[in-house]
C-alpha cells in the first residue's frame, strides 16, 4: 500500500500517454484520465459503461489553478474554495475553453475539485494538468473505497492502480452549483450542508435525492447487486426475518437504535457508531453483503443532518428502481 515516487512518475506518464490511472482520494477511488485529452476521457466512459452525457469532475492539484479551467469565479465560489479546498467539495462553474465538452457531457459548466489526499496530490503535481476522475467502478454500482475494490471491479481495464489504502471519508464529494452568487447543493457529500452554511452565513437549498439533473442518469446508483429495501428502524428486524423466511438471503444493516437486536438473517452488520465511521464504511458494507451472497439488503435511513444527509442520499439511490 506504500506508493513510491517512482509509482507516481509512472502513473503521471500513463496519464500523459492517454491511459487511465485509478487513484485514491479522501472520498472514493477515482478512475483518472487527462482532462484535456478527449480520447482518454472517452475511455473513462467506455470502461465505466457510463452514458457520455453524464459529466465528470476535473481534479486539480491546487486551488490557484482554478482560474485556468473556468470562465469566471464568482466571489462565493472563491470563498468556498478558500475554506474547503483541498477537500471533499466540488464546485460547478462556467466551463473554460481548456475543458473539452467530452468531459462535461456537453454542458457549458464544469465541476472542479482539489482532493485532499497525499497520493492524489502527488500525482496531480507530477502530472501538472487536470484529471477527470469519476469513481472507479462500473456505472451505477457501489463506489470503491479501497484499491482491492477497484481491482475486483475493473481488473485490466485500468493501466495503473495507485494503492493509497482505504479512503478516509468514504462517500463522494459534495457538489455545489457555484455558477451564481447564491450556491445550492446538487449532491450531498463529504462537506456537510451545515459546514457550508456556517461559512456562507445563510442557509442553502439541497436538490431532492431524486432530482435528475443530468440526462441519461438513472435513479438507481451506488447500487450493490442485492436489492436494497429501506424501512423505518423499528421495522428492520421484522422485514428482514419475513424476507428470509420467504427464501431470500437477507443482509441486515442494523440501525444503532436497535443495536444488539437478534435477527434471523443471512448476514447482519451493525451500523457503525459514529456518522463519520458510517460514511467511511458504507460502500464496503454494501460490497460485503454482495460477497456473502445476499440478494436483499434491509436498512433504514440515518438522521439527515451532517454526513447523514450524504449517507441517506446514497442509500436512497441504492434502493432506487433498477434498469430492467
Ligand atoms: P462522480 O460520478 O462522483 O464523478 O460525480 C460526477 C457528478 O458530478 C455527476 O453525477 C454530475 O451529477 C455532477 N456534475 C459534474 N459536472 C457537472 C455539471 N457541469 N453540472 C452539474 N452537475 C455536474
Ligand atoms: Mg460514481
Amino acid at each position: 500500500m506504500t506508493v513510491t515516487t517512482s509509482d507516481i512518475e509512472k502513473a503521471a506518464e500513463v496519464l500523459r500517454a492517454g491511459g487511465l490511472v485509478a487513484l485514491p482520494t479522501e472520498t472514493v477511488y477515482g478512475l483518472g484520465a487527462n482532462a484535456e485529452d478527449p480520447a482518454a476521457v472517452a475511455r473513462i466512459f467506455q470502461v465505466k459503461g457510463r452514458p457520455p452525457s453524464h459529466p465528470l469532475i476535473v481534479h486539480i492539484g491546487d486551488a490557484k489553478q482554478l482560474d485556468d479551467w473556468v470562465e469566471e469565479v464568482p466571489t462565493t465560489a472563491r470563498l468556498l474554495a478558500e475554506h474547503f479546498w483541498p477537500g471533499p467539495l466540488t464546485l460547478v462553474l462556467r466551463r473554460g475553453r481548456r475543458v473539452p465538452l467530452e468531459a462535461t457531457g456537453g454542458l457549458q459548466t464544469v465541476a472542479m475539485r482539489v482532493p485532499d489526499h497525499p497520493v492524489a496530490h502527488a500525482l496531480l503535481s507530477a502530472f501538472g494538468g487536470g484529471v477527470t476522475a469519476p469513481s472507479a467502478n462500473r456505472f451505477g454500482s457501489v463506489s470503491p473505497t479501497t484499491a482491492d475494490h477497484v481491482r475486483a471491479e475493473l481488473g485490466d481495464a485500468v493501466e495503473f492502480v495507485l494503492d493509497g489504502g482505504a479512503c478516509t471519508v468514504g462517500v463522494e464529494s459534495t457538489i455545489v452549483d457555484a455558477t451564481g452568487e447564491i450556491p445550492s447543493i446538487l449532491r450531498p457529500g463529504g462537506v456537510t450542508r451545515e459546514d457550508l452554511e456556517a461559512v456562507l452565513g445563510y442557509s442553502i437549498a439541497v436538490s431532492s435525492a431524486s432530482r435528475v439533473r443530468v440526462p441519461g442518469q438513472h435513479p438507481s446508483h451506488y447500487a450493490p447487486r442485492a436489492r436494497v429495501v429501506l424501512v423505518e428502524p423499528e421495522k428492520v428486524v421484522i422485514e428482514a426475518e419475513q424476507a428470509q423466511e420467504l427464501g431470500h438471503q437477507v443482509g441486515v444493516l442494523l440501525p444503532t437504535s436497535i443495536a444488539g437486536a437478534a435477527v434471523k438473517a443471512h448476514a447482519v452488520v451493525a451500523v457503525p457508531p459514529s456518522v463519520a465511521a458510517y460514511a467511511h464504511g458504507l460502500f464496503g458494507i454494501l460490497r460485503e453483503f454482495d460477497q456473502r451472497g445476499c440478494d436483499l439488503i434491509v436498512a433504514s435511513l440515518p438522521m439527515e443532518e451532517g454526513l447523514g444527509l450524504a449517507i441517506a442520499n446514497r442509500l436512497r439511490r441504492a434502493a432506487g428502481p433498477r434498469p430492467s
Side-chain angles (χ1 to χ4, degrees), residues 13-303:
E13 206 37 61
V14 170
L15 291 177
R16 280 183 209 111
L20 303 184
V21 173
L23 67 147
T25 77
E26 77 280 34
T27 59
V28 302
Y29 271 74
L31 180 62
N34 177 0
E36 291 171 271
D37 179 343
V41 171
R43 267 203 67 215
I44 288 187
F45 288 96
Q46 185 206 337
V47 166
K48 280 185 61 87
R50 178 167 168 136
S53 58
H54 201 103
L56 304 175
I57 297 171
V58 176
H59 296 74
I60 50 175
D62 195 308
K64 290 195 197 85
Q65 298 165 9
L66 179 62
D67 296 80
D68 302 342
W69 293 89
V70 302
E71 190 65 39
E72 61 162 331
V73 184
T75 324
T76 311
R78 186 87 63 195
L79 175 75
L80 294 177
E82 271 166 18
H83 265 87
F84 296 104
W85 282 356
L89 176 71
T90 295
L91 297 174
V92 173
L93 294 161
R94 278 181 223 299
R95 181 180 73 93
R97 268 192 289 269
R98 195 168 173 183
V99 184
L101 284 168
E102 283 81 357
T104 70
L107 297 174
Q108 292 303 337
T109 51
V110 61
M112 301 292 309
R113 177 165 110 82
V114 179
D116 184 16
H117 191 289
V119 174
H121 186 258
L123 177 63
L124 289 166
S125 306
F127 176 60
V131 171
T132 44
S135 51
N137 55 280
R138 309 266 174 208
F139 183 66
S141 81
V142 180
S143 305
T145 50
T146 67
D148 281 344
H149 294 162
V150 177
R151 291 189 198 103
E153 187 144 348
L154 298 182
D156 294 341
V158 43
E159 277 84 13
F160 204 87
V161 179
L162 287 168
D163 186 346
C167 302
T168 49
V169 177
V171 291
E172 295 80 355
S173 60
T174 303
I175 302 180
V176 166
D177 179 348
T179 49
E181 284 304 336
I182 306 287
S184 64
I185 295 179
L186 301 176
R187 173 181 74 184
V191 168
T192 66
R193 173 191 196 163
E194 294 83 348
D195 287 343
L196 290 166
E197 290 177 344
V199 166
L200 292 167
Y202 52 84
S203 51
I204 50 175
V206 183
S207 62
S208 82
S210 63
R211 178 168 167 182
V212 179
R213 181 186 163 95
V214 180
Q217 190 176 350
H218 201 274
S220 168
H221 212 91
Y222 314 108
R225 273 197 312 277
R227 193 157 65 82
V228 179
V229 175
L230 298 175
V231 297
E232 293 302 317
E234 61 279 7
K235 303 239 172 77
V236 165
V237 174
I238 181 86
E239 182 81 22
E241 292 189 340
Q242 278 173 356
Q244 186 75 27
E245 262 175 41
L246 286 172
H248 285 288
Q249 297 297 312
V250 179
V252 182
L253 194 46
L254 202 60
T256 355
S257 58
I258 52 164
V263 201
K264 288 192 220 80
H266 182 67
V268 181
V269 176
V271 164
S274 75
V275 75
Y278 193 5
H280 172 78
L282 176 67
F283 289 139
I285 295 171
L286 296 180
R287 276 175 193 271
E288 182 188 331
F289 285 134
D290 274 349
Q291 268 157 18
R292 292 171 70 178
C294 298
D295 61 61
L296 187 78
I297 296 168
V298 179
S300 62
L301 295 175
M303 297 269 286

